[in-house]
Amino acid sequence: MTGLLKRGIIVSCQALPGEPLYGGDTMVKMALAAELGGAVGIRANGATDIDAIKHATALPLIGLIKQTIPGSDIYITPTLTEAAAVVNAGADIVAMDMTNRENRYIRVRELLDYVHSKGRLAMADISNYAEGLEAEKMGFDYVSTTMSGYTPYSPQLSGPDIALVRRLSGSLRVPLLLEGRVWRQEDVRLALEAGAQYVVIGSAITRPQLITEMYSSMMDGWLTEHQMIAEKEGAPE
């Protein structure tokens, strides 16, 4: 089993059905580019991408399967079926939802025991401080702030949850990852200063439609503002 070897950037190479980069070998190329750029790990979704990326790069691979289950809000490796598929695809680390919803603490034990029985490491995707502590207590090898902002009881922030990282870093012994809404170099610096061993970056690197949308929105706002100024200056007294 291969864990994360040194502190640094982990690139999340994921595309969802309906997005331009979904399918084919696109995520493999993204992973190779991330490796070339100095990433210390890859996070990938789906057995096909996990298997392909694992064979293409030498980086430790965090795997998960996003599976929507009717009537449930748990979608990151929700059941043993997905956990087994991630293991069989070759992931070094299996990421799974570890939020305190839908009796998840009870159900996730089976997944955790299975992952460890297969000689793999397990990552808890949590949304708040209590969940992070519970994850370490339960035996997870890594804790990630992935779900902060995606549960109704966690802070709904436009940027990464640095406060959660700072609080958890003072309590956890297992490695801590910041994930979620990292768009700037400053976000990475703040996360490391707060105590994160790793920072996961996804959309800001691997989802060009969102990157373009961010810049387009900024430009549209600038043009609208300056058009209003020009119209005001040109208005008759």
Side-chain angles (χ1 to χ4, degrees), residues 31-48:
L32 289 169
E35 184 177 31
L36 186 63
V40 302
I42 300 295
R43 182 170 165 121
N45 170 41
T48 300

Side-chain angles (χ1 to χ4, degrees), residues 168-188:
L168 282 171
S169 68
S171 302
L172 296 180
R173 296 179 297 278
V174 298
L176 175 62
L177 293 78
L178 169 74
E179 180 173 3
R181 302 173 300 279
V182 177
W183 286 97
R184 309 172 301 156
Q185 292 181 349
E186 177 71 3
D187 295 332
V188 176

